[in-house]
Amino acid sequence: MIVEAMRRPLYTTNFGSAIVADSLLAMKELEESTVNLVMTSPPYALHFKKEYGNVAQQDYVSWFLPFAAEIHRVLKDDGSFVLNIGGSWTPGKPTRSLYHFEVLLALVHKLGFHLAQEMYWYNPAKLPAPAEWVNVRKLRVKDSVECLWWLSKTAWPKANNQRVLQEYSPDMLRLIRKGYKAKKRPSGHNITAKFTEREGSIPPNFLMLGNNDANGVYLEACKRLGYQPHPARFPVQLPTFFIRLLTDPGDLVLDPFAGSNTTGEAAEREERKWIAIESRQDYLEASQARFEQLGSDQIALFPTQDNVSPQATDEAFTLPGY
C-alpha cells in the first residue's frame, strides 16, 4: 500500500509530489541520505485536541522519536531538520509543559542530532489562550511564540544567511549615512572598520511572521470546493525562510506532516524539489489549489514599513521580554 502511494502520488507539480500515507511508513521507502531539508510541524501536544489528533504530553517523545529516526536516516550529512513545535499548558494549572524541550533533548541525546540553533516564531495574530488563565482570571499573558528547533545531522549543515537578509532599520540606515567609527562597544564587541553597508541586515533568530492569510488562494479554494481548511497552518514565509537559508535550487525538501502543504508551495516557488506526506487525503486534495495559479512573484520574508499591519507593529513593540 505504501509503495503504491509513493509510486502514485495524489498530485504532482513541476518540482514536487504530494503523497497520502502514514509518513512513518512512507519515509522508510525513501533512500538514505537523499534529503537536504526536512521542514515540518507535527501535531502539538495540546490540552485541547485538534480534529487531526494530538498525542498527550506524557506520550509525545516516545510517539515522535520513530519519525525523527527516519528523518535522521534520510537526511544528507549537510542537511537540516527544522521542527516547528508549539508549547502547551499543564492540564488544570496555569503552568507550562516542558514537553517541547524534552523532545529537543531526546533528539540530540538519543538520536544524535546537533542543535544548529534554537529559533522562535512570533505570530502576532494568535488569539489569547487559554481563556481561563489569560482572559478570565487574567493570570498569564498571550502565548504568541512557538519554537523552531533547527537541527542537523552533523555540526556543519549547509547554510547561507546572505539569502535571508532583511531591510535595515531606520536607526541602522541613519548610522550608515553618518558613518561609524571603529571602536570597542561597552558590551565588549570590537566593531572594526570592516563595518560597511551590505544588502541588508542579518535577521535574528526571532521571526515575526503574522499568520492572518484570510483571503489567500488556499482558503478561497476550500470555501469554493467545500473542504474544511486545515486548522493549524503556518505562513508560507516560514518555510520559505529556511528553504532559502538552508538549501540550493534543485535540492530536495521533505515535509512528513504536510497538512495543507505550505512547505510544498514554498519549495515550488523557490525551485526546490519537494515531497509532502499527509495522512488526511482531504487536506492534501484542498492543498492542490496552491499550485494552480502559482505566480513567479517572490515571497517577501519580513514585514516592512509598507506592509506590516498596525496591530502587528503595535504588538511587536509591546511584547515583554524580547
Side-chain angles (χ1 to χ4, degrees), residues 3-318:
V3 173
E4 185 65 16
M6 299 293 281
R7 288 177 179 169
R8 301 184 60 181
L10 183 67
Y11 64 86
T12 60
T13 66
N14 290 335
F15 292 95
S17 299
I19 297 162
V20 179
D22 179 324
S23 63
L24 182 57
L25 300 176
M27 283 192 288
K28 294 181 185 296
E29 300 296 325
L30 299 178
E31 292 185 21
E32 183 177 339
S33 302
T34 54
V35 176
N36 299 92
L37 169 64
V38 176
M39 174 82 211
T40 197
S41 182
Y44 306 160
L46 300 178
H47 178 50
F48 295 101
K49 306 304 180 188
K50 298 283 189 180
E51 64 181 42
Y52 48 71
N54 303 83
V55 179
Q57 295 169 15
Q58 65 271 20
D59 301 324
Y60 201 88
V61 172
S62 59
W63 169 76
F64 188 66
L65 282 192
F67 294 95
E70 284 302 313
I71 290 169
H72 190 278
R73 184 185 67 81
V74 301
L75 269 185
K76 290 187 173 183
D77 286 346
D78 63 353
S80 289
F81 168 31
V82 177
L83 176 63
N84 168 217
I85 186 168
S88 187
W89 295 86
T90 307
K93 298 178 182 177
T95 59
R96 298 287 282 171
S97 166
L98 298 178
Y99 90 96
H100 48 316
F101 298 111
E102 292 168 351
V103 168
L104 174 62
L105 292 173
L107 292 173
V108 173
H109 293 316
K110 293 186 177 182
L111 296 186
F113 278 106
H114 297 258
L115 177 60
Q117 194 165 14
E118 68 274 36
M119 303 187 69
Y120 301 93
W121 167 31
Y122 167 45
N123 178 6
K126 274 210 170 189
L127 297 174
E132 179 68 17
W133 311 134
V134 178
N135 302 79
V136 179
R137 301 198 192 192
K138 306 186 188 306
L139 299 173
R140 298 291 182 268
V141 296
K142 188 168 74 168
D143 176 27
S144 299
V145 177
E146 296 189 4
C147 296
L148 296 158
W149 303 140
W150 171 16
L151 300 141
S152 54
K153 198 167 181 176
T154 68
W156 301 97
K158 179 167 59 176
N160 184 349
N161 65 22
Q162 298 301 291
R163 297 173 181 160
V164 289
L165 297 177
Q166 61 182 7
E167 289 186 5
Y168 287 121
S169 68
D171 285 344
M172 181 59 74
L173 289 173
R174 187 163 50 248
L175 184 63
I176 290 172
R177 283 196 301 270
K178 292 173 59 179
Y180 188 86
K181 294 180 180 178
K183 64 180 180 180
K184 192 171 186 177
R185 299 286 299 272
S187 63
H189 293 88
N190 189 23
I191 309 298
T192 70
K194 295 180 180 178
F195 175 83
T196 56
E197 181 179 3
R198 304 291 176 88
E199 296 180 0
S201 66
I202 297 170
N205 64 341
F206 179 80
L207 306 176
M208 186 182 80
L209 303 170
N211 199 4
N212 47 15
D213 180 24
N215 301 306
V217 171
Y218 170 73
L219 288 183
E220 189 280 328
C222 287
K223 185 177 180 180
R224 173 168 43 89
L225 302 173
Y227 286 106
Q228 184 70 29
H230 192 283
R233 308 173 306 279
F234 48 42
V236 71
Q237 290 87 351
L238 194 63
T240 301
F241 175 88
F242 289 102
I243 287 170
R244 290 181 188 173
L245 175 65
L246 303 174
T247 67
D248 296 308
D251 282 355
L252 177 59
V253 179
L254 168 67
D255 186 347
F257 297 93
S260 67
N261 202 11
T262 312
T263 299
E265 178 188 343
E268 187 83 12
R269 289 178 178 275
E270 298 298 318
E271 299 186 347
R272 272 67 164 175
K273 293 178 286 186
W274 57 268
I275 298 174
I277 306 172
E278 170 56 46
S279 60
R280 289 272 301 257
Q281 181 164 335
D282 56 334
Y283 287 157
L284 272 192
E285 285 177 347
S287 75
Q288 194 164 359
R290 293 183 180 277
F291 304 91
E292 291 174 351
Q293 300 177 5
L294 201 62
S296 57
D297 53 312
Q298 280 267 308
I299 295 292
L301 287 180
F302 303 104
T304 66
Q305 296 301 316
D306 297 328
N307 65 18
V308 68
S309 71
Q311 178 188 12
T313 305
D314 178 63
E315 294 184 2
F317 288 113
T318 56

